[in-house]
Every structure is written in structure tokens, then in C-alpha cells.
Amino acid sequence: MGQAWGFSRFGGPEVQEFFERPDPVPGRGEVLIRVHVAGVNPLDHLLRAGLVPGLDGGRPFPRVLGMEAAGTVLALGEDVDGLEVGDAVFGFALTGGGTYAETTVLSAANTARTPVGLSPTVASTLPVAGTTAVDALDQLGLPAGATILVNGVGGGVGLAVARLAAARELRVIGTGSAAKREQAEAIGVRFVDYTAEDVVAAAGELVPAGFDGIVDLVGGASLRTVAPLARDPRTVIAVGDQSVSELGGRFVERRLDRENLARSARLALDGILAPVITAVHPLSDAPAALATVENGHASGKVIIKVT
């Protein structure tokens, strides 16, 4: 039996609970891993609220929270190629297994070996934040010297986008609250504090001709505020708000396969996708880890160190 943190029904934080469960049995196309580190993401509380039903795997309650992890392979399900028992791996729990647990199952097609030299801590941040950054910037395809606005730069995904954009020699302007300024400016972002100044006016002053691209990580009214700053609405890429299409923009096209994970790992080894990890919690403190992200107070990446 192993400990897990999850939820007994859909809802808010009040439905969360710790529980014991036997090691899950990997199904076809799955691998059982011992979790070393789990990443914490806004997607986690959206799943708990029942807002993303396509990613729950149809598993019974209680369900385990978490979508990404790094660990060691303990067992293989049927039809798994390219992975072996004992491999250090990282990947997505796309079949509903969750990752805030001592052991879990990952989708093998969405799991990659962790390369030598890459820590499980860094690897655990790549499935969501790392690959999202790669996908968004690949979709934009901006040339060196172009200007990009990262709306909501202070979180794990936003900082990953900013780092990768800087590595591609883009000029990066980012928006966020005052608490996010230090982390963003430390990686070279020209920061706009939406709590202290008019975002449109401040960003427009920095880039009067309009931005060559925008990556939005906030959505809603904030997306609608900054979208007109793009020179071409088709260069507005939203990560969480599919209504971006109503503005002429595009939703990020995600690539969750092993090849893209491996690519993100190479970028991490090169120091380009080095995550800004600002909080490390033990599994016993998972409620606080998720609360920080859910409340919007996380600056950088929050992780849970399990074993």
C-alpha cells in the first residue's frame, strides 16, 4: 500500500484527501513507476473541479491529483516499447493515474527516459511547462529579433516560455503581478506590472509598432486586453483559453509524444529550459503545494518531492 493525495468527488479543495492504495497495475500501453518528483500545475485543480473530463481516464473515485512526474519504472503493461524496468523516466499521467502518489501509472507513449545528467527534479517540470513552451514558440515560429509578449510570465509555463524565447533571440516583455517581477527580470524579461500600471499603455510604449507574437497564459479578460497589442491577431497563442479563436488567435497545438519530451530534456540539459523552482514540498504537504498554484500565488514552478 502506498499513500496518495487526491479527491473523492469533483469540487473545490474541500473534496481533497489523503488515502492509501495498492500499487496500480499498468494497463496496455502504460508503465508503473515509483514517483520521485511530481510537478504541480493549474491543470491539476481544473481536473479536480471536473472541468477537463477528457483527461480523467474514467477511473473511479478517489482519484489521484497530478499530471506529470519523474521516477523509476517498476513494471510494464502490454505493448510497451522503448522502456524497460529500472529506467529513469518522466512523463504524463494521461490515463488518469495521477502523480501525487508514491507509485502511479504513466502513458508509455507520453513517457521518455530521463537522460543522464538530468535530475528527476528538473525532469518532472518538463511534461507540462517545458513542452508547452516548446509548442507555443514553435507554433509562432518567430525569427530572431522579433518581439514577444508573455502574458502571465511569472508561473512555471510563463518563465519557461520566456527562457526559450530569449534563447531564440527574441525580445521578451512579460506581464505579471509585483510578486513575479524578480524572477522574470532575473532571466532578462522586460517586466510590466499589471497591478501598478496600465498594461496596454506600458507595453505599447515598449513596443509601439505592436508585438510580433503573444503567448497568453491568463485567458479571460486579460487575454482580451492584450490581444490587440499583436500586429496580427493570428500571432496570439493562448495556452488555457480556447475562446482565443474569437479574437482571431489560435489555441496552442500540444505535442505530448515521447519525441517532444526528449527534445525538452535536451533543452534542459543545455540550460535553456532550466526551470525556476520556487517551492519544494513533501507529499505530506501536497495540499499547500496545490493551494499555492490554485490561488495564483506561485512564482515559478512548484514541485512535490515524493521519494
Side-chain angles (χ1 to χ4, degrees), residues 132-142 148 160-166 168 170 215:
T132 299
V134 170
D135 290 344
L137 290 175
D138 280 358
Q139 196 170 345
L140 279 174
L142 298 176
I148 184 171
V161 171
R163 274 189 177 277
L164 186 56
R168 295 186 180 191
L170 305 181
V215 175

Side-chain angles (χ1 to χ4, degrees), residues 159-242:
L159 290 172
V161 171
R163 274 189 177 277
L164 186 56
R168 295 186 180 191
E169 300 182 14
L170 305 181
R171 182 186 177 200
V172 185
I173 289 84
T175 70
S177 64
K180 312 294 177 68
R181 177 185 291 275
E182 182 177 357
Q183 295 289 353
E185 291 185 339
I187 61 172
V189 174
R190 186 68 180 269
F191 191 79
V192 176
D193 179 357
Y194 72 81
T195 67
E197 53 192 325
D198 183 300
V199 169
V200 172
E205 184 176 337
L206 291 171
V207 187
F211 287 87
D212 298 306
I214 295 175
V215 175
D216 174 75
L217 303 161
V218 183
S222 182
L223 166 61
R224 282 156 177 74
T225 296
V226 302
L229 293 170
R231 296 172 61 188
D232 183 338
R234 293 172 296 180
T235 64
V236 179
I237 304 294
V239 170
D241 190 340
Q242 297 200 31

Side-chain angles (χ1 to χ4, degrees), residues 95-156:
T95 52
T99 58
Y100 298 10
E102 294 178 14
T103 60
T104 196
V105 289
L106 303 181
S107 171
N110 311 107
T111 298
R113 286 192 175 100
T114 304
V116 175
L118 190 67
S119 72
T121 296
V122 173
S124 73
T125 71
L126 297 177
V128 175
T131 63
T132 299
V134 170
D135 290 344
L137 290 175
D138 280 358
Q139 196 170 345
L140 279 174
L142 298 176
T147 57
I148 184 171
L149 177 67
V150 182
N151 190 38
V153 73

Side-chain angles (χ1 to χ4, degrees), residues 272-286:
I272 295 172
L273 277 182
V276 180
I277 297 172
T278 53
V280 180
H281 295 261
L283 182 59
S284 60
D285 202 29

